[in-house]
Amino acid sequence: MAATEEQPPSTARGRGTKVLKQERAVRTYGQLLQAAADLFAKTGFVNVTLADIAEHAGVTKGALYFHFMNKEAIAVAVMDEYYVRLAAVADDVGRASLSPLDAAAELIMRTTAVLRRDTVFQSAVRLQKELFLFDNQLPTPFVSFIDAVGELLAEGRRRGQLPEESDPMALARVLVAAFYGAQHISWVLTGRADVVERVREVIDAIVPGRSSGPPGMPT
């Protein structure tokens, strides 16, 4: 912003410096979040130190403490970012004009595709298994995902895609549990190289009767 009579040069410079500091802080926060996700996904929460995260992010330990008071706070931030990204996946599926059953399948398949490449998703899956380490600081896992799938299945039942006597939430719990089990087995056996194929098998077995065939797989 150019200096004017109403805004002296020193004021303009001060505001410009403040903006630059804010931008740098946002960038550093993002670097730390990504570094923590990379390391948590690779070795788990217990085996990662604050020094490891700072080094991987390319920042000083002092810069880390400016944003996070301890390692638990970083893990909570990673989980929060995971839920933001998961909600974005669900929003994208919601804009795709799919039938409810197709949308449920697509939500799980798109989540799988992101999980294969995104260490924020990979670290979240691992942190969910280590929930006992956090004294209830982490968001309760699985619930929002089950609810999202359950709402789509309930709409599918209303439209006649599922039998009237079916229980959409029970089916959602089974489907999400099978998804997490399939991705875990794929992680252990192949480093998730075949995770899309294994999760597609789950979809085909549990959600028959979709109108558009096998769900897509964004790259």
Side-chain angles (χ1 to χ4, degrees):
M1 181 183 298
T4 67
E5 292 182 2
E6 292 78 17
Q7 184 175 312
S10 59
T11 303
R13 285 195 297 271
R15 290 184 179 178
T17 300
K18 184 177 180 180
V19 169
L20 289 174
K21 287 182 178 179
Q22 290 172 340
E23 291 175 349
R24 185 164 60 246
V26 170
R27 184 167 60 250
T28 300
Y29 180 90
Q31 290 171 217
L32 288 166
L33 197 70
Q34 188 60 59
D38 293 346
L39 295 173
F40 291 154
K42 184 177 181 180
T43 63
F45 178 80
V46 172
N47 297 315
V48 176
T49 66
L50 290 174
D52 293 333
I53 295 170
E55 180 180 4
H56 192 60
V59 305
T60 66
K61 203 169 180 180
L64 184 152
Y65 277 116
F66 177 81
H67 292 280
F68 301 104
M69 64 183 300
N70 52 39
K71 190 170 66 169
E72 288 79 5
I74 302 179
V76 171
V78 170
M79 288 299 300
D80 287 342
E81 177 63 20
Y82 162 69
Y83 284 111
V84 169
R85 297 187 186 189
L86 185 60
V89 173
D91 288 344
D92 285 343
V93 172
R95 290 190 288 267
S97 299
L98 299 171
S99 72
L101 261 61
D102 288 326
E106 187 71 7
L107 174 58
I108 292 173
M109 289 307 304
R110 291 196 188 198
T111 301
T112 303
V114 178
L115 175 64
R116 187 175 62 175
R117 65 177 186 270
D118 188 335
T119 57
V120 169
F121 273 60
Q122 293 167 12
S123 64
V125 168
R126 191 158 188 165
L127 288 169
Q128 286 171 341
K129 293 171 56 185
E130 300 174 322
L131 189 66
F132 65 94
L133 298 171
F134 295 93
D135 193 26
N136 296 323
Q137 292 185 65
L138 292 183
T140 303
F142 313 122
V143 173
S144 62
F145 199 20
I146 291 171
D147 286 345
V149 174
E151 288 174 6
L152 290 168
L153 296 178
E155 180 62 22
R157 185 179 66 176
R158 285 191 290 271
R159 296 191 189 183
Q161 289 187 292
L162 291 174
E164 188 63 33
E165 66 274 13
S166 64
D167 184 338
M169 289 308 300
L171 181 57
R173 288 191 291 271
V174 170
L175 186 53
V176 172
F179 158 70
Y180 277 105
Q183 70 79 30
H184 180 77
I185 292 172
S186 175
W187 173 36
V188 171
L189 296 183
T190 71
R192 295 196 179 96
D194 66 348
V195 66
V196 170
E197 290 77 16
R198 299 293 77 79
V199 173
R200 183 173 285 125
E201 290 172 347
V202 168
I203 297 294
D204 289 342
I206 299 178
V207 193
R210 299 185 314 276
S211 61
S212 60
M217 187 201 74
T219 58

